[in-house]
Structure formats: structure tokens, C-alpha cells
Amino acid sequence: MSAQIYYIDDSGAESTGYVVYGWAEIDIARWTAALRCLLDFRKKLYADTGIPADYELHSTQFIPGRGTPSVRPAWNRRKANRRRVAQHALSAIASMPGTRVGAVWRHTTKKGRAYYDERAAVYGALLADLDTRLSAAGDHGIIVMDGDGSDLTYQREHRKLRLASRHIVEDPWYIGSHTSQPVQAADLLAYTAYQTVQRHPGKDYMWDWWSRFTGAEAPRRI
């Protein structure tokens, strides 16, 4: 019997109708080695690009070219630099010891409150899948997400699990992404999966990133 920790983040938008969740699943017994892999990546990234290790790589800001991540102004002016960093980050995530990555998605025409209800339903379906898999393996799991816990949507989905048989431990644990490399990794996975399934013409350079750099099965419709 072992335990898994899932770093999960969401992507998508009401305007496109997509709901996407991406995650990195880490065997807790190998968590230290997995984190060391990310920290080594950030150390090398600073040496190569001038991006400090404590700079948050937030995909929706970083990849399109917003902000000034590097201490080298000339580096910041080229969007191609950012794309290479994101690609290298995906490869680093995929190489973390004891780690598997994945993503699920759904498309909906719902708007307003109904869209956000659908987003909760997709998370609930993912949660049920993970719980079933953990149960079959005799394992337990903990879910970590970005935020402060003020949005109770995810907590409500956790509490729908049957206490007598659930293998997901507790409600989600929340950590601000700016303080956590694994949470930032989940953000990049979710954003990459979103671009893979949405296939927006303006983001065609990202369409194959998931298959090229994660080595994981394609984001799964749920």
C-alpha cells in the first residue's frame, strides 16, 4: 500500500466552452526526489535565462509574453524564449521520479452559472475516477490545488464521496501557486492540455506540446 499526492489545476473558459483539468500525480515516497527535479530545473533555468527561481511561471501570463520574468531585458523581448522555457518545463515535469501526469476535458455550450456547475461536475467525475483507481490499488491520495479555499466548489465534490469507502483523503489542500513549484507544474499541464483540445488557430504552436513533451496519454474526454 502506498499514497499518492495529486497537484491539480483547471483551465478552459466559458467563452470557448471548454473545461480542462490537468495534474501531476506523485508517489509520496518519492516526493522529495520529484521536487528536487523541479528545483534543479529552476536552478538551471536561472543560469540559462536569468529567470529567478522564485518567479511564478503562470502559463496564461508567461507564455503569451506578459510580464518581465528575466533579469535580462533582451531575453524578455522574444516570445520564442518563453515557448522554449515552457517546453523544457514540461519535459522536466515528465521526468520527475515517481510521477505520472494526466488531463481530462469536456466541452459544453452552457453559459453563466450553468458553465461553472459543469466545471464542478467535471471535477467530480475526475475525483470519482481517481478514487476508484486508488481503491483498486489499495492506495490513498491527497489533492493539492492553487488557491486559498474560499471557493467551496471543490470541497463540496469531495464530500459527495462515501466516507466508508473513499480513498481520497480530506478536502483539497490549498497552496498559493506562487509559493509551490508542483502547483505551477499543474498549471502548465492544465494550460497545455487546454490548448491541445481547443486547438485555437492563434495557439497552433502549442497543439502538439502535450504529445511531444509529457509522454502521457492524450487528454481524455470525461
Side-chain angles (χ1 to χ4, degrees):
M1 185 175 70
S2 63
Q4 310 297 317
I5 184 165
Y6 297 86
Y7 293 91
I8 299 179
D9 203 5
D10 68 293
S11 192
E14 180 185 346
S15 59
T16 66
Y18 282 91
V19 178
V20 180
Y21 289 93
W23 69 87
E25 172 189 351
I26 304 173
D27 184 334
I28 286 181
R30 305 191 71 186
W31 180 87
T32 300
L35 181 60
R36 171 54 58 194
C37 184
L38 289 180
L39 295 178
D40 286 347
F41 163 72
R42 292 305 301 261
K43 182 178 180 179
K44 186 175 187 304
L45 185 64
Y46 178 64
D48 292 345
T49 69
I51 300 176
D54 60 355
Y55 184 89
E56 181 182 4
L57 297 180
H58 189 260
S59 299
T60 59
Q61 303 294 317
F62 177 78
I63 296 174
R66 302 183 184 95
T68 54
S70 176
V71 296
R72 306 171 189 169
W75 189 97
N76 291 321
R77 289 193 286 270
R78 297 193 62 196
K79 289 185 179 180
N81 288 339
R82 298 166 185 257
R83 296 175 189 179
R84 281 192 292 271
V85 167
Q87 292 170 352
H88 293 159
L90 287 169
S91 295
I93 294 164
S95 69
M96 290 160 57
T99 301
R100 294 189 293 182
V101 305
V104 296
W105 65 276
R106 184 179 297 176
H107 187 263
T108 180
T109 58
K110 296 177 180 179
K111 301 295 181 182
R113 182 69 257 169
Y115 170 81
Y116 290 94
D117 290 343
E118 190 74 5
R119 189 176 70 169
V122 175
Y123 179 77
L126 168 60
L127 189 66
D129 278 1
L130 296 179
D131 195 59
T132 297
R133 180 152 60 85
L134 289 166
S135 177
D139 295 343
H140 286 80
I142 296 167
I143 290 177
V144 177
M145 305 185 81
D146 179 24
D148 59 10
S150 57
D151 180 353
L152 300 180
T153 300
Y154 299 124
Q155 180 194 78
R156 286 192 289 268
E157 294 303 317
H158 278 240
R159 296 189 179 189
K160 290 177 183 178
L161 296 171
R162 293 183 64 249
L163 180 60
S165 59
R166 64 182 285 180
H167 284 246
I168 296 289
V169 176
E170 272 288 358
D171 298 332
W173 295 3
Y174 290 97
I175 301 176
S177 62
H178 64 287
T179 68
S180 170
Q181 299 295 338
V183 173
Q184 290 176 48
D187 169 77
L188 178 58
L189 291 168
Y191 186 70
T192 302
Y194 175 41
Q195 302 308 327
T196 298
V197 298
Q198 185 204 10
R199 301 184 78 80
H200 186 281
K203 300 286 179 60
D204 56 337
Y205 60 87
M206 289 188 66
W207 290 359
D208 67 344
W209 282 12
W210 185 272
S211 60
R212 283 174 61 197
F213 300 110
T214 72
E217 67 178 32
R220 178 171 58 90
R221 188 171 185 172
I222 196 170

